[in-house]
């Protein structure tokens, strides 16, 4: 039997978030079915990428769409598209594009571990403060694109995305939005590009619940078409960022499902789970549980903030987070600091909330861990 158990790997209940290190999200049956269909025959991969892109574009009200091997891969390809928009002759040069002297502009308050991928094309980035003036001062004839990372949990730059787009549009500079974890709301699939962002990037393996190694690039057709010659199955910069036929059909099925999903019922489930956690945990000495909103990456869903008094429990929040993973079954919760962690209903399978609650009652009591 080929399975986790035979490898000595314990499955984890995910009360953390759509984090990559625990597998992102779980593929629903329709996604698995589409992947299984795709696995049954050979196809022309470039043609499949085009057809899937056309279907996803129509479904998400975008001019064009492209399946990437994740949002981080999308950053690489979007950076390349921006360079090619400015200098089409750079096509065969990546990542040796220093001679073209192009720059991406990013905001200091939005720096994050994924912006490294901008460098992977060979493109330099310059980091600016959040004011209108710093943006105007940074724009030059070297500017290939401006990146925007909407993050609910970071200080937002004091210039708005709409203002950035307006300034960039006057100068024909593409604005690229890394919206990897910005689902829900489902409207974000068209909101950023309808605002005028040139490209919006999403993870396929987060709330879309497509295959974990997929992503979605949505937006301008000219930009998306420009990277095809250097993207899988063609050779060049994008070849190592390969997406298979199974992933393409799987992501399409995931997008179709996501658009049909009852998002209000799903939000209601999250509310009920948070209420269940709060009711169970608040009677415990040295423990406070409360509804927090929005959740991990700023998605408009509630989650549960648990605060503990380590002196009362004889353990820190770190000890508890570790104990959840050692618990049978293993549970991943979202660490915050020495006295707090979050329980996130967003990634629970219905029914698992009771397992998480019971584990909390065990680990947040005063008995041995
Ligand atoms: C998760 C995430 C990524 C990476 O997405 P993958 O699909 O895992 O490549 C990039 N940017 C942000 C802001 C993210 O949250």
């Amino acid at each position: 039997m080929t399975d986790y158990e035979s490898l000595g790997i314990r499955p984890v209940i995910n009360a953390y978030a759509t984090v990559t290190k625990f597998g992102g999200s779980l593929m629903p049956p329709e996604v698995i079915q589409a992947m299984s269909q795709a696995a049954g025959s050979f196809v022309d991969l470039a043609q499949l990428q085009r057809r899937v892109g056309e279907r996803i574009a129509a479904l998400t009200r975008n001019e064009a769409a492209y399946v990437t091997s994740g949002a981080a891969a999308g950053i690489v390809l979007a950076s390349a598209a921006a360079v090619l928009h400015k200098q089409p002759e750079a096509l065969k040069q990546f990542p040796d594009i220093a001679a073209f002297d192009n720059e991406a502009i990013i905001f200091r308050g939005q720096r994050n571990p994924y912006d490294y991928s901008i460098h992977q094309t060979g493109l330099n980035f310059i980091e600016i403060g959040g004011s209108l003036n710093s943006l105007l001062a940074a724009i030059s004839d070297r500017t290939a694109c401006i990146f925007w990372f909407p993050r609910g949990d970071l200080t937002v730059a004091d210039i708005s995305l709409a203002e950035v787009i307006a300034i960039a549009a006057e100068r024909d500079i593409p604005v690229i939005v890394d919206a990897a974890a910005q689902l829900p709301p489902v409207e974000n699939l068209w909101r950023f590009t309808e605002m005028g962002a040139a490209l919006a990037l999403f993870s396929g393996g987060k709330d879309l619940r497509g295959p974990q190694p997929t992503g979605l690039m949505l937006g301008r057709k000219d930009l998306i078409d420009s990277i095809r010659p250097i993207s899988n199955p063609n050779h060049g910069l994008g070849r190592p960022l390969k997406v298979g036929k199974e992933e393409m059909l799987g992501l399409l099925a995931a997008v179709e499902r996501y658009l049909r999903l009852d998002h209000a019922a799903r939000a209601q489930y999250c509310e009920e789970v948070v209420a269940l956690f709060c009711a169970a945990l608040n009677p415990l000495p040295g423990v406070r549980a409360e509804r927090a909103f929005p959740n991990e990456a700023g998605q408009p869903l509630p989650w549960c903030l648990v605060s503990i008094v380590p002196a009362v429990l004889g353990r820190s929040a770190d000890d508890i987070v570790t104990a959840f993973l050692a618990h049978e079954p293993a549970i991943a919760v979202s660490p915050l600091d020495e006295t707090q962690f979050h329980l996130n209903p967003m990634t629970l399978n219905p029914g698992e909330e009771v397992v998480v609650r019971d584990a909390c009652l065990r680990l947040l009591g005063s008995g041995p861990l």
Side-chain angles (χ1 to χ4, degrees):
M1 189 65 179
T2 310
D3 60 14
Y4 292 138
E5 199 184 346
S6 69
L7 295 167
I9 300 287
R10 292 201 306 150
V12 176
I13 290 180
N14 185 353
Y16 188 156
T18 53
V19 286
T20 296
K21 69 175 173 176
F22 290 114
S25 57
L26 299 180
M27 293 186 292
E30 53 267 58
V31 173
I32 297 169
Q33 232 165 49
M35 293 184 79
S36 176
Q37 274 280 323
S41 40
F42 295 101
V43 286
D44 178 329
L45 203 67
Q47 193 182 35
L48 180 65
Q49 175 72 274
R50 280 183 189 277
R51 291 288 186 280
V52 166
E54 283 162 11
R55 177 88 70 89
I56 292 177
L59 287 169
T60 62
R61 313 182 197 174
N62 278 280
E63 192 179 69
Y66 193 81
V67 181
T68 65
S69 57
I75 295 174
V76 176
L77 295 176
S79 302
V83 170
L84 292 173
H85 176 62
K86 206 162 157 278
Q87 267 135 341
E89 64 276 23
L91 191 66
K92 296 292 177 200
Q93 300 300 314
F94 293 106
D96 301 316
I97 56 165
F100 297 96
D101 206 17
N102 285 322
E103 293 169 349
I105 294 175
I106 70 170
F107 292 92
R108 193 167 299 123
Q110 299 182 347
R111 289 299 310 273
N112 66 81
Y114 301 103
D115 58 33
Y116 174 85
S117 302
I118 299 170
H119 274 315
Q120 239 172 298
T121 53
L123 183 62
N124 288 321
F125 62 65
I126 53 167
E127 192 181 304
I128 62 167
S131 70
L132 174 65
N133 280 342
S134 53
L135 176 61
L136 290 174
I139 291 175
S140 71
D141 54 14
R142 294 186 303 279
T143 309
C145 58
I146 303 169
F147 265 87
W148 185 266
F149 296 88
R151 291 286 298 265
D153 58 346
L154 291 184
T155 323
V156 286
D158 54 6
I159 187 171
S160 71
L161 175 58
E163 290 171 300
V164 172
I165 287 172
I167 289 164
E170 284 168 16
R171 296 160 177 80
D172 189 26
I173 299 169
V175 174
I176 299 163
V177 177
D178 174 8
Q182 301 304 309
L183 295 173
V186 60
E187 296 80 21
N188 278 354
L189 288 170
W190 48 91
R191 188 169 73 89
F192 298 114
T193 39
E194 281 186 353
M195 281 177 76
L199 295 170
L201 311 171
F202 295 89
S203 285
K206 292 183 179 168
D207 204 47
L208 278 174
R209 297 179 62 182
Q212 187 179 13
T214 60
L216 203 48
M217 182 188 284
L218 300 173
R220 267 169 54 180
K221 185 170 187 304
D222 62 329
L223 296 179
I224 286 176
D225 282 343
S226 74
I227 49 139
R228 291 184 198 274
I230 51 167
S231 189
N232 177 65
N234 299 313
H235 294 112
L237 181 81
R239 178 61 182 78
L241 311 175
K242 178 153 118 179
V243 184
K245 55 195 182 304
E246 297 82 5
E247 282 76 27
M248 288 184 200
L249 276 200
L251 185 59
L252 172 57
V255 171
E256 289 171 340
R257 172 189 169 274
Y258 204 68
L259 291 166
R260 282 195 308 265
L261 202 66
D262 184 344
H263 289 279
R266 199 272 185 108
Q268 183 57 31
Y269 166 76
C270 292
E271 291 290 359
E272 286 163 11
V273 172
V274 170
L276 176 88
F277 291 157
C278 289
L281 302 191
N282 274 323
L284 300 175
V287 178
R288 194 176 74 240
E290 59 196 309
R291 177 187 184 274
F293 184 94
N295 75 5
E296 181 256 347
Q299 301 102 331
L301 292 173
W303 60 341
C304 183
L305 174 63
V306 182
S307 309
I308 61 148
V309 181
V312 174
L313 272 70
R315 62 198 61 156
S316 70
D318 279 350
D319 297 334
I320 292 167
V321 170
T322 306
F324 270 114
L325 278 173
H327 183 267
E328 182 57 45
I331 299 171
V333 303
S334 179
L336 184 58
D337 57 32
E338 277 298 289
T339 61
Q340 296 183 306
F341 62 91
H342 283 98
L343 297 170
N344 195 346
M346 179 179 180
T347 38
L348 292 177
N349 280 320
E352 288 177 342
E353 66 278 2
V354 182
V355 180
V356 174
R357 179 201 60 192
D358 292 350
C360 286
L361 293 177
R362 231 165 287 143
L363 302 178
L364 296 170
S366 50
L369 277 180

